[in-house]
Amino acid sequence: MEKLDVLVLLDVSGLEDKEKFEKHLKKEGFHTVPDEAFVYTAESSTTTFSTKAYILEVFKKGLQKNTFLDANLIFLLNETPYPAYYYDKNSNDFELSESKEAI
């Protein structure tokens, strides 16, 4: 299986400890994009479905280890955009945004 290039854009407000958050992401294989706030890259050798699930899980765990007001997430796998997600504090998980608009 060929590798997937992953690009994740996170729109988060009120994040208490960005360094702690990014340390978690780095441990999970995500790298910061220089000169870009909350933009991360990675490579995946699993299916797009597994990669999507992994992205949502890693970012969810990173946010749960922190304090923040709200968060939205969008990602590209091999330059193919996926729908936007928002973090629902009631379910403590990312949910598919109702509007299919990118953030």
Side-chain angles (χ1 to χ4, degrees), residues 18-81:
K18 183 179 181 188
E19 188 175 313
K20 178 180 176 182
F21 177 74
E22 290 185 343
K23 185 176 179 184
H24 166 77
L25 294 181
K26 186 175 183 178
K27 187 180 85 174
E28 298 295 339
F30 290 88
H31 308 282
T32 57
V33 173
D35 302 322
E36 296 289 339
F38 298 107
V39 180
Y40 308 94
T41 62
E43 280 189 348
S44 174
S45 57
T46 63
T47 65
T48 55
F49 182 82
S50 295
T51 301
K52 180 181 97 168
Y54 184 72
I55 292 167
L56 295 173
E57 186 66 20
V58 167
F59 279 78
K60 174 178 82 170
K61 294 284 188 214
L63 289 170
Q64 289 174 344
K65 293 179 177 184
N66 228 306
T67 302
F68 65 100
L69 297 175
D70 56 41
N72 298 289
L73 178 79
I74 193 164
F75 54 89
L76 289 83
L77 303 180
N78 283 349
E79 299 182 16
T80 301

